Amino acid sequence: MSAGRPGQQQTIAYATQLQSVLEQYLSSRGNTGRQVALGVHVDPATLSRYRHGERLPPSEFNEALQAFLTSKGLPIPEADYKRLTQLHAGAQAASLSLTHQLALRRQEIHELEAAKKGLAEDKRVLREQLDECARDLAALQDRTDRELDDAAARYRTTLEELDAVRRHMTDVVRERDELLAKVRRLREVEALAAQRERALHAAARLFCDQAKDIDTYLQQNEELTRQVTTLQQQNLSLLNEQTELNRKYVAALTRQASQTPAKISGWGYPHIKEPGEEYGLPPNDSAFYCLGVANVPRRKWLARLRRQS
């Protein structure tokens, strides 16, 4: 385009954006502008004029370029593509070329017809959706009515069950109070049992101590029994000796009494010893034991013996 031509600035802005969009594809190894021209079905020279702002491409060029780059795996980003179409539309609107104006108007008519068809399709789809929603709403209303009836029945059943649960809770609370009372009594019994157990342990310890004392007493008793047995044996020996001594003493008294004159009222003879003195018995009133004779002082026994004689 020549300088100062209407829409030139807008065309250059579009060309700049187009060059920026193609840069990503052309920067890859092996990709050329000729491939892009073949992909969008234009001459390579015409594509070069588009890129340098010498000529404004038709409206379908942008869609063809996006389809080609997408097939190559490098689609134009949405924001860049939107800006590219806006710059193209601005350049067409600013250009005084009848061809561009006519293309722009055709594009607008095409867009309006597409929008009209889209609106008609949307209206049809919306009508279908409305009809379907109406049917769904009616079905939902019926289902809601049935569910409400079921819910009301369940609600009444729930109320009855709730009353039953409340009565059951009352019984449970009463049983709980009874159990708590039993637990308190049980704790008191446990405390009493523990006290009695401590008393039993104390009694057991006392019993063990007493058992030990009893064992000690039994041992002492056995020792005393042995000592008593020993003493009894010794006493028996002494008794036998005393019996023999008394027998000898009685025999001596009997011999002496047979040898004494009958008319003597007292001993009075210094050469005659009192009975028992020859055996070493004490002469003064000490008691002695004689089988069959009471334990009396010797002199008194002798006096009684004299009276009897």
Side-chain angles (χ1 to χ4, degrees):
M1 289 184 181
S2 61
R5 188 172 181 177
Q8 182 180 6
Q9 294 181 354
Q10 290 79 0
T11 303
I12 293 175
Y14 169 78
T16 303
Q17 182 66 22
L18 177 62
Q19 184 67 23
S20 176
V21 167
L22 291 175
E23 186 66 26
Q24 184 178 3
Y25 176 77
L26 296 177
S27 61
S28 300
R29 173 178 286 185
N31 296 330
T32 61
R34 183 177 180 82
Q35 294 176 351
V36 177
L38 294 176
V40 297
H41 308 290
V42 296
D43 188 76
T46 303
L47 178 62
S48 177
R49 293 188 185 96
Y50 293 162
R51 293 171 59 188
H52 291 86
E54 297 176 0
R55 186 174 178 180
L56 188 66
S59 301
E60 59 271 11
F61 173 79
N62 297 323
E63 297 178 359
L65 180 63
Q66 175 70 325
F68 171 74
L69 294 179
T70 301
S71 65
K72 296 299 182 179
L74 296 172
I76 303 174
E78 183 178 357
D80 294 340
Y81 182 74
K82 184 177 181 180
R83 176 169 176 76
L84 185 67
T85 56
Q86 289 177 354
L87 290 174
H88 186 271
Q92 281 185 338
S95 177
L96 296 179
S97 173
L98 294 176
T99 303
H100 290 184
Q101 292 293 328
L102 182 59
L104 180 62
R105 298 298 177 267
R106 288 176 179 176
Q107 179 68 21
E108 291 178 353
I109 292 171
H110 177 71
E111 292 177 355
L112 289 173
E113 289 178 351
K116 182 179 180 181
K117 291 180 180 179
L119 289 175
E121 182 66 20
D122 293 341
K123 182 178 180 181
R124 183 185 64 79
V125 172
L126 183 61
R127 174 61 63 183
E128 293 178 355
Q129 291 178 352
L130 287 175
D131 294 338
E132 184 177 0
C133 289
R135 292 191 298 271
D136 293 340
L137 183 61
L140 180 62
Q141 184 67 32
D142 296 337
R143 186 169 64 253
T144 302
D145 293 337
R146 291 193 300 271
E147 290 179 355
L148 285 176
D149 295 336
D150 296 339
R154 289 196 299 272
Y155 179 72
R156 289 190 295 270
T157 305
T158 303
L159 289 178
E160 295 175 356
E161 293 177 354
L162 182 60
D163 293 336
V165 168
R166 287 176 179 173
R167 291 192 297 270
H168 180 66
M169 285 296 297
T170 304
D171 298 336
V172 168
V173 170
R174 185 174 61 256
E175 292 178 357
R176 184 201 62 184
D177 295 338
E178 293 176 356
L179 288 176
L180 289 176
K182 290 181 180 179
V183 167
R184 287 194 295 270
R185 290 195 297 271
L186 182 59
R187 288 178 179 175
E188 293 175 357
V189 171
E190 289 179 351
L192 181 60
Q195 182 179 0
R196 291 186 177 178
E197 185 176 1
R198 291 192 295 270
L200 286 175
H201 285 305
R205 290 193 297 270
L206 180 61
F207 178 77
C208 292
D209 296 338
Q210 290 179 353
K212 293 179 181 178
D213 294 339
I214 289 173
D215 292 337
T216 303
Y217 292 154
L218 289 175
Q219 293 175 0
Q220 293 177 357
N221 189 18
E222 291 177 357
E223 183 65 24
L224 290 175
T225 302
R226 288 194 297 271
Q227 293 179 3
V228 167
T229 303
T230 303
L231 291 175
Q232 286 178 351
Q233 293 176 355
Q234 293 176 357
N235 189 18
L236 183 59
S237 299
L238 293 175
L239 182 60
N240 292 333
E241 293 178 359
Q242 184 67 30
T243 303
E244 182 64 22
L245 183 61
N246 290 336
R247 188 185 60 77
K248 293 180 180 181
Y249 181 72
V250 171
L253 287 179
T254 304
R255 287 195 307 272
Q256 189 173 7
S258 62
Q259 295 175 2
T260 302
K263 292 183 180 180
I264 297 176
S265 59
W267 297 103
Y269 298 95
H271 62 280
I272 299 176
K273 295 182 179 180
E274 294 184 356
E277 290 183 5
E278 65 270 29
Y279 300 104
L281 293 175
N284 297 320
D285 295 338
S286 60
F288 66 96
Y289 175 78
C290 180
L291 187 60
V293 179
N295 290 332
V296 294
R298 187 175 68 253
R299 293 184 182 277
K300 294 181 181 180
W301 182 81
L302 292 176
R304 189 176 58 181
L305 184 60
R306 293 192 188 102
R307 286 196 300 270
Q308 291 177 357
S309 59

